[in-house]
mmCIF file of all heavy atoms in Angstrom:
data_model
loop_
_atom_site.group_PDB
_atom_site.id
_atom_site.type_symbol
_atom_site.label_atom_id
_atom_site.label_comp_id
_atom_site.label_asym_id
_atom_site.label_seq_id
_atom_site.Cartn_x
_atom_site.Cartn_y
_atom_site.Cartn_z
ATOM 1 N N SER A 1082 52.873 -28.689 25.979
ATOM 2 C CA SER A 1082 53.633 -27.456 26.109
ATOM 3 C C SER A 1082 54.003 -26.936 24.725
ATOM 4 O O SER A 1082 53.882 -27.639 23.723
ATOM 5 C CB SER A 1082 54.897 -27.685 26.943
ATOM 6 O OG SER A 1082 55.709 -28.675 26.337
ATOM 7 N N THR A 1096 51.083 -24.661 30.336
ATOM 8 C CA THR A 1096 49.793 -23.984 30.490
ATOM 9 C C THR A 1096 48.806 -24.851 31.258
ATOM 10 O O THR A 1096 48.934 -26.076 31.322
ATOM 11 C CB THR A 1096 49.193 -23.643 29.117
ATOM 12 O OG1 THR A 1096 48.882 -24.851 28.407
ATOM 13 C CG2 THR A 1096 50.157 -22.800 28.286
ATOM 14 N N PRO A 1121 55.005 -15.792 33.464
ATOM 15 C CA PRO A 1121 53.629 -16.031 33.944
ATOM 16 C C PRO A 1121 53.051 -14.849 34.709
ATOM 17 O O PRO A 1121 51.935 -14.387 34.420
ATOM 18 C CB PRO A 1121 53.778 -17.272 34.827
ATOM 19 C CG PRO A 1121 54.966 -17.989 34.278
ATOM 20 C CD PRO A 1121 55.910 -16.897 33.855
ATOM 21 N N GLY A 1122 53.789 -14.323 35.687
ATOM 22 C CA GLY A 1122 53.277 -13.189 36.459
ATOM 23 C C GLY A 1122 53.206 -11.917 35.644
ATOM 24 O O GLY A 1122 52.298 -11.090 35.836
ATOM 25 N N TYR A 1219 74.008 1.790 22.836
ATOM 26 C CA TYR A 1219 75.362 2.115 22.367
ATOM 27 C C TYR A 1219 75.310 3.154 21.248
ATOM 28 O O TYR A 1219 75.972 3.032 20.234
ATOM 29 C CB TYR A 1219 76.096 0.856 21.910
ATOM 30 C CG TYR A 1219 75.294 -0.092 21.056
ATOM 31 C CD1 TYR A 1219 75.073 0.152 19.700
ATOM 32 C CD2 TYR A 1219 74.770 -1.259 21.595
ATOM 33 C CE1 TYR A 1219 74.353 -0.728 18.918
ATOM 34 C CE2 TYR A 1219 74.041 -2.145 20.821
ATOM 35 C CZ TYR A 1219 73.844 -1.876 19.478
ATOM 36 O OH TYR A 1219 73.120 -2.751 18.694
ATOM 37 N N VAL A 1238 80.286 -5.344 16.205
ATOM 38 C CA VAL A 1238 79.814 -6.318 17.185
ATOM 39 C C VAL A 1238 79.824 -7.724 16.585
ATOM 40 O O VAL A 1238 80.263 -8.699 17.217
ATOM 41 C CB VAL A 1238 78.405 -5.932 17.673
ATOM 42 C CG1 VAL A 1238 77.776 -7.067 18.452
ATOM 43 C CG2 VAL A 1238 78.469 -4.680 18.543
ATOM 44 N N ASN A 1264 74.375 -9.338 31.457
ATOM 45 C CA ASN A 1264 74.133 -8.846 30.105
ATOM 46 C C ASN A 1264 74.318 -9.944 29.067
ATOM 47 O O ASN A 1264 73.738 -9.885 27.979
ATOM 48 C CB ASN A 1264 75.083 -7.691 29.775
ATOM 49 C CG ASN A 1264 74.843 -6.475 30.645
ATOM 50 O OD1 ASN A 1264 73.813 -6.374 31.304
ATOM 51 N ND2 ASN A 1264 75.793 -5.562 30.663
ATOM 52 N N VAL A 1292 91.702 -8.210 34.233
ATOM 53 C CA VAL A 1292 91.701 -7.037 35.097
ATOM 54 C C VAL A 1292 90.371 -6.333 34.899
ATOM 55 O O VAL A 1292 90.007 -5.989 33.764
ATOM 56 C CB VAL A 1292 92.869 -6.079 34.770
ATOM 57 C CG1 VAL A 1292 92.786 -4.835 35.645
ATOM 58 C CG2 VAL A 1292 94.206 -6.788 34.958
ATOM 59 N N TRP A 1366 98.618 12.201 36.756
ATOM 60 C CA TRP A 1366 97.449 13.012 36.364
ATOM 61 C C TRP A 1366 96.183 12.153 36.409
ATOM 62 O O TRP A 1366 95.157 12.559 36.983
ATOM 63 C CB TRP A 1366 97.689 13.572 34.961
ATOM 64 C CG TRP A 1366 96.492 14.160 34.288
ATOM 65 C CD1 TRP A 1366 95.983 15.414 34.460
ATOM 66 C CD2 TRP A 1366 95.664 13.515 33.295
ATOM 67 N NE1 TRP A 1366 94.882 15.599 33.645
ATOM 68 C CE2 TRP A 1366 94.659 14.453 32.931
ATOM 69 C CE3 TRP A 1366 95.658 12.256 32.693
ATOM 70 C CZ2 TRP A 1366 93.685 14.155 31.980
ATOM 71 C CZ3 TRP A 1366 94.690 11.959 31.756
ATOM 72 C CH2 TRP A 1366 93.717 12.900 31.408
ATOM 73 N N PRO A 1456 58.007 8.358 3.568
ATOM 74 C CA PRO A 1456 58.204 9.580 2.785
ATOM 75 C C PRO A 1456 58.749 10.762 3.579
ATOM 76 O O PRO A 1456 59.200 11.748 2.986
ATOM 77 C CB PRO A 1456 56.784 9.898 2.264
ATOM 78 C CG PRO A 1456 56.005 8.641 2.418
ATOM 79 C CD PRO A 1456 56.586 7.968 3.622
ATOM 80 N N GLU A 1587 44.316 -0.446 3.159
ATOM 81 C CA GLU A 1587 44.439 -1.834 3.612
ATOM 82 C C GLU A 1587 45.331 -2.646 2.689
ATOM 83 O O GLU A 1587 46.200 -3.398 3.151
ATOM 84 C CB GLU A 1587 43.059 -2.489 3.717
ATOM 85 C CG GLU A 1587 43.117 -3.938 4.197
ATOM 86 C CD GLU A 1587 41.760 -4.580 4.313
ATOM 87 O OE1 GLU A 1587 40.742 -3.921 3.971
ATOM 88 O OE2 GLU A 1587 41.688 -5.755 4.743
ATOM 89 N N TRP A 1599 51.525 -14.053 6.000
ATOM 90 C CA TRP A 1599 52.790 -13.344 6.205
ATOM 91 C C TRP A 1599 53.825 -14.260 6.856
ATOM 92 O O TRP A 1599 55.010 -14.246 6.477
ATOM 93 C CB TRP A 1599 52.577 -12.111 7.069
ATOM 94 C CG TRP A 1599 52.270 -10.869 6.284
ATOM 95 C CD1 TRP A 1599 51.115 -10.166 6.256
ATOM 96 C CD2 TRP A 1599 53.181 -10.174 5.412
ATOM 97 N NE1 TRP A 1599 51.229 -9.077 5.420
ATOM 98 C CE2 TRP A 1599 52.489 -9.054 4.895
ATOM 99 C CE3 TRP A 1599 54.497 -10.386 5.020
ATOM 100 C CZ2 TRP A 1599 53.082 -8.169 4.002
ATOM 101 C CZ3 TRP A 1599 55.092 -9.503 4.136
ATOM 102 C CH2 TRP A 1599 54.388 -8.403 3.629
ATOM 103 N N ASP A 1825 62.988 7.865 56.985
ATOM 104 C CA ASP A 1825 62.490 7.668 58.347
ATOM 105 C C ASP A 1825 60.970 7.674 58.447
ATOM 106 O O ASP A 1825 60.413 7.345 59.498
ATOM 107 C CB ASP A 1825 63.062 8.751 59.273
ATOM 108 C CG ASP A 1825 64.583 8.653 59.394
ATOM 109 O OD1 ASP A 1825 65.097 7.518 59.335
ATOM 110 O OD2 ASP A 1825 65.240 9.704 59.513
#
Side-chain angles (χ1 to χ4, degrees):
S1082 59
T1096 65
Y1219 44 78
V1238 168
N1264 295 345
V1292 177
W1366 167 82
E1587 180 179 3
W1599 269 113
D1825 296 327

